[in-house]
């Protein structure tokens, strides 16, 4: 039993949906479960509906109408007969959103968000399920909210694995094909929840885990996992295979193709993850699996921009790793800083981190009271995995390198941008 996941770009218009059909037909074996995201930028458009609801209520109906129109154009392109049941089904889901907004009393933004935004996935899977049936691929549509159970931390809901496992075991039978949504689940009161933006890969991994899938494949608009982000580096190469640990390390230092959360359930059951191109469904892409290290001649380049670089030293010349180390680390953690590099000498310590929640002012103020502190903001952190040289050519001569760190597996530079 395999799981396939198709993201928003792979179903961005009618032609893309036809391509999804071809991807399925091109495979030797159909998967058991097809997990699909909302079409193209639908999630952003639905976020706008929620924003209007709270800030400018008279705009809600035109914001929602835009989403409706986008889907209705795709429907008209894919289905000749406008009496087809799919039209009524899709309209019904949008009407439900309107009814919810008219009767809602909650002022909790995140709760309302989760009741609205997941409709993008409900609609996309409804269209795809009908389209596949009409084109000879029998399947059963499943509402992921009846399978994936979570807590009620709306917008970043945490999984209840045991309940989810039970639901999936009871529902998904071998030898059938199911079409369901990524990104969404429900809480113990059956209110909709979402797993965080770009959460559909994670849904596919959870389902793969629960059905003991032989593999999970995510179909993307890239040939697989590249050794560098083409936005920042020239001459990228496809990585044919890598271990879970290498993929997590790559994500930690800036790669965005696969989220570590997606890898965790797969790693636990040693289920391989394939990243393949929906534009070239015969090509093998990248395989992430246990102990399958990257070829030694491939090095990966990652760049994290907009980092903060600090150097601290003790005021009384005491050693920094004794006593101070723990205090500094927990202070940074308490301000939700994301540490990506540390280096220390006897009495000083350097740290490179990002400040996703904009807490730096208060934190630096606290540090200044206890240490001698220098701060450089807006720096770049370059990381090279499997380095072949200690001076890669992407760092131009004359660049201000604030720190360099070389281990057998990793080379890092912090540079002033
Ligand atoms: N549709 C959701 C988003 O755009 C989930 C996903 O695509 O993974 O964030
Ligand atoms: Mg997406």
């Amino acid at each position: 039993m395999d799981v396939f996941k198709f993201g928003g770009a792979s179903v961005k218009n009618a032609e893309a949906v036809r391509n999804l059909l071809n991807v399925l037909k091109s495979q030797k074996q159909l998967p058991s479960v097809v997990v699909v995201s909302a079409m193209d930028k639908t999630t952003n458009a639905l976020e706008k509906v929620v924003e209007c609801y709270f800030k400018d209520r008279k705009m809600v109906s035109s914001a929602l109408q835009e989403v409706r129109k986008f889907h209705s154009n795709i429907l008209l392109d894919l289905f000749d007969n406008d009496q087809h049941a799919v039209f009524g089904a899709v309209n019904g889901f949008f009407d439900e959103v309107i009814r919810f907004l008219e009767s809602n009393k909650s002022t909790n933004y995140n709760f309302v968000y989760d009741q609205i935004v997941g409709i993008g996935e409900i609609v996309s899977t409804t269209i795809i399920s009908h389209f596949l049936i009409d084109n000879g691929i029998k399947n059963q549509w499943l509402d992921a909210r009846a399978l994936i159970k979570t807590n009620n931390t709306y917008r970043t809901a945490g999984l209840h694995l045991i309940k989810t496992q039970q639901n999936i075991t009871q529902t998904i039978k071998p030898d059938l094909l199911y079409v369901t949504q990524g990104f969404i689940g429900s809480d113990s009161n059956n209110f909709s929840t979402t797993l965080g933006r770009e959460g559909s890969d994670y849904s596919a991994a959870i389902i793969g885990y629960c059905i003991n899938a032989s593999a999970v494949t995510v179909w993307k608009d890239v040939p697989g996992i590249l050794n560098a982000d083409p936005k920042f580096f020239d001459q990228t190469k496809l990585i044919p295979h890598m271990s879970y640990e290498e993929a997590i390390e790559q994500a930690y230092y800036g790669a965005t193709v696969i989220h570590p959360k997606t890898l965790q359930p797969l790693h636990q059951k040693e289920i391989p993850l394939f990243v393949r191109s929906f534009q070239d469904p015969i090509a093998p892409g990248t395989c992430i699996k246990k102990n399958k290290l990257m070829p030694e001649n491939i090095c990966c380049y990652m760049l994290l921009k907009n980092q903060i670089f600090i150097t601290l030293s003790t005021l009384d010349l005491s050693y920094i790793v004794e006593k101070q180390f723990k205090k500094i680390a927990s202070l940074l953690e308490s301000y939700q800083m994301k540490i990506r590099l540390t280096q220390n000498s006897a009495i000083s310590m350097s740290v490179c981190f990002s400040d996703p929640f904009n807490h730096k002012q208060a934190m630096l103020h606290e540090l200044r009271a206890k240490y001698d502190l220098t701060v450089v903001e807006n720096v770049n952190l370059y990381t090279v995995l499997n380095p072949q040289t200690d001076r890669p050519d992407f760092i131009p001569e004359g660049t201000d390198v604030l720190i360099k760190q070389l281990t057998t597996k990793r080379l890092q530079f912090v540079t002033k941008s």
Side-chain angles (χ1 to χ4, degrees), residues 3-29:
V3 178
F4 279 6
K5 182 261 168 174
F6 291 92
S10 67
V11 290
K12 67 177 183 196
N13 52 32
E15 196 192 326
V17 174
R18 290 192 185 94
N19 182 62
L20 183 154
L21 172 72
N22 288 334
V23 171
L24 291 179
K25 285 189 168 165
S26 70
Q27 302 304 302
K28 281 197 209 89
Q29 217 183 343

Side-chain angles (χ1 to χ4, degrees), residues 84-262:
H84 194 293
V86 69
F87 288 87
V90 168
N91 275 326
F93 291 129
F94 282 116
D95 292 343
E96 243 174 66
V97 172
I98 295 170
R99 273 199 301 277
F100 169 80
L101 290 174
E102 281 171 357
S103 61
N104 173 58
K105 302 262 182 307
S106 172
T107 53
N108 177 344
Y109 195 98
N110 292 349
F111 167 78
V112 173
Y113 178 105
D114 276 6
Q115 308 320 302
I116 303 300
V117 164
I119 203 75
E121 270 71 11
I122 297 282
V123 168
S124 73
T125 50
T126 301
I127 296 174
I128 284 152
S129 171
H130 279 282
F131 182 73
L132 293 181
I133 291 173
D134 287 8
N135 287 281
I137 299 189
K138 259 212 234 149
N139 68 85
Q140 191 173 329
W141 183 86
L142 285 178
D143 189 332
R145 294 171 297 187
L147 302 175
I148 310 275
K149 295 309 283 188
T150 69
N151 62 17
N152 63 359
T153 310
Y154 299 110
R155 289 183 79 173
T156 48
L159 181 72
H160 273 311
L161 181 60
I162 293 173
K163 288 185 198 153
T164 302
Q165 174 75 72
Q166 276 170 357
N167 292 338
I168 289 182
T169 310
Q170 277 164 15
T171 312
I172 294 185
K173 304 281 173 251
D175 307 322
L176 278 178
L177 171 63
Y178 298 89
V179 173
T180 194
Q181 308 80 40
F183 184 49
I184 58 173
S186 69
D187 66 13
S188 58
N189 292 317
N190 294 329
F191 286 116
S192 300
T193 56
T194 62
L195 302 170
R197 287 303 306 266
E198 303 304 326
S200 291
D201 288 1
Y202 181 44
S203 301
I206 295 167
I207 295 171
Y209 176 99
C210 291
I211 65 169
N212 294 316
S214 44
V216 171
T217 302
V218 292
W219 295 92
K220 303 238 172 206
D221 57 359
V222 286
I225 299 186
L226 302 177
N227 70 326
D229 185 338
K231 278 205 296 277
F232 304 128
F233 298 92
D234 307 330
Q235 296 180 350
T236 53
K237 275 190 235 162
L238 178 71
I239 304 174
H241 47 76
M242 65 202 301
S243 67
Y244 298 107
E245 291 79 5
E246 285 173 328
I248 286 183
E249 182 130 328
Q250 211 199 14
Y252 181 74
Y253 291 117
T256 52
V257 179
I258 298 298
H259 195 282
K261 221 169 153 182
T262 302

Side-chain angles (χ1 to χ4, degrees), residues 27 59 81 96 155 187 234 320 325 353 380:
Q27 302 304 302
M59 296 306 288
N81 170 9
E96 243 174 66
R155 289 183 79 173
D187 66 13
D234 307 330
I320 201 136
F325 195 87
F353 57 91
N380 292 323

Side-chain angles (χ1 to χ4, degrees), residues 68-79:
R68 233 173 154 143
K69 184 93 187 73
F70 168 77
H71 288 92
S72 113
N73 287 338
I74 293 177
L75 280 168
L76 290 168
D77 193 326
L78 291 174
F79 300 91

